[in-house]
Amino acid sequence: MPEPIQQAPAPDQIAGSLVELLSRLGEKSFGLSFLFGTLVIALYAGKRLGELITPPKGAEYDFTSMLTLPLLVGRDTYNRAYIFYVFLLLYFYFVLCIFQPLVDIIGGQTTIKFQGASWPLFAALLVVGVLPATPVVAQIEHSLRRFAHAIANIPDEFYNRVTALSAQEIETVVAGAPEYESDIETFWTLIAVLSILGIEYDDAVRGSRRCVSLRLFGEWTLERPDLWSQAEYQRYTDVIAMLKPQYLSLRAKTEDLIFETESNAFVKSVLASNPTVLLGGRIDAGSAQTLRVDAEKLLAQGKKKGVVPNQIPLLEDLKFARQGWSEHIKASEVDAKRLIALFSIVVRNDRRTMRELVRPENVKNPKTTGPGVLDKRYADPGLRFFAQLLRSNNISAEPWFNSILLATLVGSGFAYLFCVLHRLATDNDVIRKYVLPPENLEKLKPQTLDTLISNSFTSSASDVGFLGLAFLLSASIALFMRSSRIRNEEWLPFYDLPTTPVSSYFGLFLIGWIMALPALMLQWILYYARAGELADRDNLIHVMQINVGIAFALASASVCLCIVTDIVAARAAEDVTLGIKQNRRYFNQICLLACILPTGLHALILLTDQGYVRQPAFMAGQMLIFVVLIYAAMRFFVTTLEHRLRRVTPLPLQPVLDKDQGLGG
């Protein structure tokens, strides 16, 4: 039997439902507004992060303005920067939001409650509206974005990839491959004719390498769409349309110049006097020097005899040929580097092609027949070499943030373990009656073993977690500022105590303190908000004073970490070789000395507070957490830093050059 059709609800019922719904939403207005603000900031971060603070400069990077930042640096790198940037923005947004109950406490309230929709929306407006729009405050957003880019190695990773590919001896890379015989022949022909024109051997090699690189990278990126995934390759349609005419023009001009120079009677005369030199054959520095000397002798003889230039066939063309080659090599260098940059972008983003190019040759391709057979498209030795070079970890150093993040996690883990053990030993019913003040003993109730274990684990997580977060933020910003100043050649490294560059550390100390303090205050706010206990203005001021002091100790630890980093870097640069035991002992001593100042400050802050003094077990636990966290994190950071500095190996064939250097030198 069919069910009866239900009647639509009456208007008054709908109104009643809406009122009830809105009233329920009003109870959660702070949470809903906070979530809305979080979503807005996350969307805003994606838009702002896509803007490079300093776009790539130079004609070789002019096409990058047509690409988005994820395409330019790679999706993985961009996502890493996005996560860091969103975290930083949300951290400041969260700090602004938690000021609401602090203001209420100052205003006379005794309970911490997050209520009302206006405060989170106002905080989100500050982050996404006021930060980028106000000239003075915009510098904060600029710094946050630069920080996120630096952590993800943007755009340095892009420059490193381009420089690494540009620095390779391409004639060696493709040597012996039948498909590149004509390119190798062109390479050596160019060296011969350029030497006759009076160009030094090294400059002739670089010029020849530029022309050959232009030809190969142009063919791979502009003329071989079959190498790439169709969907990926279509993203670069406009870029290819812009670059292809210039590439075809320079490639044709290379062939024309070679033909014209070979046909020059003067060049023919020099080659005729050196029958051992064959155009297209390998030429060493000695043979090139001989060609250059013979050409200079022939010119000197003509001038000595007073011969009019046109009496030596096409002698006047020699001047124009040299000028033409000089201009062409400069243009080829710019365009070759432009094509290398595009190649690195396409290969990095096309994961299917990258996987095929780096796949070992003895692995069977399911699209082919026979074991160990590669698709002919991906068996190209030149393509495979450069793809593997892009995949290599040697191109881009691991960001320093990875080290401090991992070191903080390790230090927090050790501190958590010690804290749990300390609480189990001092919070049990047998011990705490001897270590707690008499007024606190009256409020205590007997606790079971399960309760003791549960409280030890949860309380330890809170104590260690917020302290670890504060140290991570403080140390990260300090290390970032250090690396930024090194890049700008403004950093004064530490050498010894008498010459300590205090001016270099003051700014690090201040910004490290600013980053650490909100994370420490967050623990107090969440504790009272969760427990529902009463809080007053005096309690807030008291806790603020303690946390200001602890933030000073964390900031000093961050500065000491930068000093230790200088010591390790200088030691690696001097190539001081010691045994494993000697190295461990040395770095243990350095880290212990570096922990003295922050640990002393932290202990002094706690000892000046009567609340901690009256609870010696609790105070000892807080000191234990701090010293274990700082020392373990610093020691692990030093170990990873020293290991990374010493395991750096040169790139194949040729070391990576500075990013401002041209192709091949």
Side-chain angles (χ1 to χ4, degrees):
M1 182 176 179
E3 297 181 358
I5 300 176
Q6 296 182 353
Q7 298 293 329
D12 59 339
Q13 293 176 335
I14 295 177
S17 300
L18 288 177
V19 171
E20 182 181 359
L21 176 62
L22 291 176
S23 64
R24 290 182 178 179
L25 290 178
E27 296 173 358
K28 304 293 184 182
S29 57
F30 187 95
L32 291 175
S33 300
F34 178 79
L35 292 177
F36 178 75
T38 300
L39 178 62
V40 169
I41 291 174
L43 295 175
Y44 159 85
K47 177 180 179 298
R48 291 291 292 171
L49 188 66
E51 303 174 8
L52 271 176
I53 298 175
T54 306
K57 297 179 181 179
E60 61 268 32
Y61 300 120
D62 54 3
F63 73 95
T64 58
S65 61
M66 304 171 65
L67 301 175
T68 62
L69 186 61
L71 278 181
L72 182 65
V73 302
R75 175 62 61 178
D76 294 340
T77 301
Y78 176 81
N79 289 341
R80 188 164 64 245
Y82 177 76
I83 292 173
F84 295 141
Y85 187 55
V86 169
F87 170 78
L88 291 172
L89 290 181
L90 290 180
Y91 175 72
F92 280 96
Y93 171 62
F94 202 47
V95 169
L96 291 174
C97 287
I98 66 176
F99 271 104
Q100 188 245 344
L102 295 182
V103 173
D104 293 341
I105 292 294
I106 295 174
Q109 292 190 15
T110 58
T111 57
I112 292 180
K113 291 183 178 180
F114 295 93
Q115 56 188 0
S118 59
W119 194 284
L121 294 179
F122 177 71
L125 177 63
L126 285 176
V127 174
V128 304
V130 177
L131 277 181
T134 306
V136 177
V137 187
Q139 295 300 320
I140 299 177
E141 189 275 335
H142 241 239
S143 299
L144 295 179
R145 189 149 40 103
R146 183 181 291 110
F147 183 44
H149 284 168
I151 288 175
N153 216 13
I154 295 174
D156 290 346
E157 186 178 22
F158 169 69
Y159 289 131
N160 288 341
R161 294 202 310 264
V162 176
T163 304
L165 298 184
S166 303
Q168 302 310 305
E169 299 175 355
I170 197 166
E171 73 280 4
T172 305
V173 173
V174 300
E179 58 267 40
Y180 294 115
E181 287 183 358
S182 60
D183 299 294
I184 296 298
E185 183 178 339
T186 299
F187 175 80
W188 295 115
T189 299
L190 282 173
I191 292 178
V193 297
L194 292 176
S195 298
I196 294 174
L197 295 178
I199 298 176
E200 295 289 336
Y201 179 76
D202 291 340
D203 294 332
V205 170
R206 283 192 290 268
S208 303
R209 195 172 290 152
R210 292 168 187 141
C211 294
V212 174
S213 296
L214 171 74
R215 156 89 168 74
L216 295 183
F217 284 99
E219 178 182 350
W220 292 333
T221 55
L222 305 180
E223 298 185 312
R224 293 289 306 277
D226 60 302
L227 290 172
W228 318 104
S229 302
Q230 183 177 1
E232 181 66 34
Y233 196 69
Q234 287 178 349
R235 298 182 181 183
Y236 312 97
T237 301
D238 295 339
V239 175
I240 292 172
M242 184 190 79
L243 299 183
K244 197 167 186 178
Q246 176 74 358
Y247 155 71
L248 293 175
S249 174
L250 289 174
R251 178 176 172 179
K253 189 172 182 179
T254 300
E255 298 174 355
D256 293 342
L257 284 175
I258 290 176
F259 177 77
E260 293 174 4
T261 309
E262 287 180 348
S263 302
N264 188 287
F266 179 82
V267 173
K268 287 183 176 180
S269 300
V270 176
L271 289 173
S273 62
N274 292 271
T276 58
V277 177
L278 300 177
L279 283 180
R282 175 179 288 273
I283 298 179
D284 56 21
S287 300
Q289 173 71 11
T290 301
L291 290 175
R292 192 166 59 256
V293 170
D294 289 350
E296 291 174 354
K297 288 180 179 179
L298 184 59
L299 284 174
Q301 291 175 0
K303 293 178 181 179
K304 188 175 181 179
K305 295 178 180 179
V307 179
V308 183
N310 60 13
Q311 288 183 312
I312 297 180
L314 302 179
L315 183 58
E316 184 67 20
D317 292 343
L318 187 63
K319 175 182 177 182
F320 296 106
R322 183 181 299 165
Q323 182 179 356
W325 273 112
S326 178
E327 295 174 354
H328 178 66
I329 288 174
K330 291 180 180 178
S332 296
E333 176 182 2
V334 173
D335 206 55
K337 201 164 188 178
R338 184 185 289 128
L339 295 173
I340 289 173
L342 178 59
F343 174 84
S344 71
I345 293 171
V346 177
V347 173
R348 184 66 179 270
N349 290 300
D350 195 337
R351 297 186 177 183
R352 181 189 66 84
T353 300
M354 171 68 87
R355 185 174 61 252
E356 291 296 323
L357 289 173
V358 301
R359 185 169 60 86
E361 296 189 33
N362 59 350
V363 177
K364 182 178 179 180
N365 188 338
K367 297 182 180 181
T368 61
T369 58
V373 178
L374 278 174
D375 190 323
K376 290 183 178 180
R377 295 176 298 170
Y378 307 119
D380 187 310
L383 264 176
R384 290 176 62 80
F385 173 84
F386 288 111
Q388 291 169 358
L389 188 59
L390 285 173
R391 187 73 174 270
S392 170
N393 291 330
N394 288 329
I395 293 180
S396 170
E398 179 187 8
W400 52 263
F401 182 78
N402 292 354
S403 297
I404 188 59
L405 177 60
L406 185 58
T408 304
L409 292 176
V410 171
S412 299
F414 278 103
Y416 180 72
L417 176 61
F418 277 87
C419 185
V420 169
L421 295 176
H422 178 269
R423 285 185 177 274
L424 289 175
T426 59
D427 282 0
N428 59 78
D429 293 337
V430 177
I431 301 297
R432 61 181 177 176
K433 62 183 180 181
Y434 297 105
V435 297
L436 290 179
E439 61 269 20
N440 291 352
L441 291 176
E442 300 176 358
K443 304 176 183 179
L444 293 179
K445 297 180 180 180
Q447 60 179 343
T448 63
L449 180 61
D450 292 341
T451 303
L452 172 62
I453 295 176
S454 176
N455 290 340
S456 298
F457 277 94
T458 54
S459 299
S460 299
S462 175
D463 291 345
V464 175
F466 287 101
L467 185 65
L469 175 62
F471 173 72
L472 174 63
L473 293 172
S474 179
S476 296
I477 195 67
L479 289 171
F480 165 70
M481 291 182 64
R482 174 185 177 273
S483 63
S484 179
R485 291 181 181 180
I486 289 176
R487 191 179 299 110
N488 297 330
E489 298 182 351
E490 300 173 351
W491 178 253
L492 299 176
F494 176 87
Y495 292 110
D496 50 37
L497 286 176
T499 60
T500 300
V502 179
S503 59
S504 293
Y505 301 138
F506 179 76
L508 273 65
F509 180 84
L510 181 61
I511 193 66
W513 174 78
I514 293 174
M515 293 294 290
L517 181 59
L520 297 174
M521 287 303 301
L522 182 60
Q523 181 183 13
W524 180 82
I525 293 173
L526 294 182
Y527 170 77
Y528 277 92
R530 184 178 66 249
E533 298 186 12
L534 298 180
D536 55 26
R537 193 181 312 173
D538 293 337
N539 188 7
L540 172 61
I541 294 175
H542 171 256
V543 172
M544 178 68 78
Q545 291 174 343
I546 295 297
N547 285 333
V548 165
I550 297 176
F552 273 121
L554 289 173
S556 65
S558 301
V559 172
C560 290
L561 184 64
C562 292
I563 293 176
V564 171
T565 304
D566 283 343
I567 295 174
V568 176
R571 194 174 182 83
E574 295 171 359
D575 195 24
V576 177
T577 304
L578 295 175
I580 296 178
K581 292 184 178 180
Q582 289 84 350
N583 262 332
R584 288 178 180 174
R585 188 181 303 112
Y586 176 78
F587 290 126
N588 282 335
Q589 294 172 353
I590 293 297
C591 292
L592 285 172
L593 291 174
C595 289
I596 291 177
L597 176 61
T599 303
L601 283 175
H602 181 263
L604 181 63
I605 295 298
L606 298 188
L607 289 172
T608 55
D609 183 78
Q610 291 299 319
Y612 281 98
V613 173
R614 297 183 65 183
Q615 303 179 74
F618 179 71
M619 181 176 64
Q622 296 300 305
M623 291 182 178
L624 180 66
I625 294 172
F626 186 89
V627 68
V628 171
L629 171 62
I630 298 302
Y631 175 76
M634 192 175 295
R635 185 65 184 88
F636 189 85
F637 179 82
V638 168
T639 300
T640 56
L641 176 65
E642 195 266 346
H643 175 69
R644 191 170 69 250
L645 290 174
R646 293 204 179 276
R647 72 178 174 86
V648 172
T649 55
L651 286 165
L653 301 179
Q654 210 167 329
V656 177
L657 305 178
D658 184 76
K659 67 183 179 185
D660 294 329
Q661 288 184 268
L663 179 66

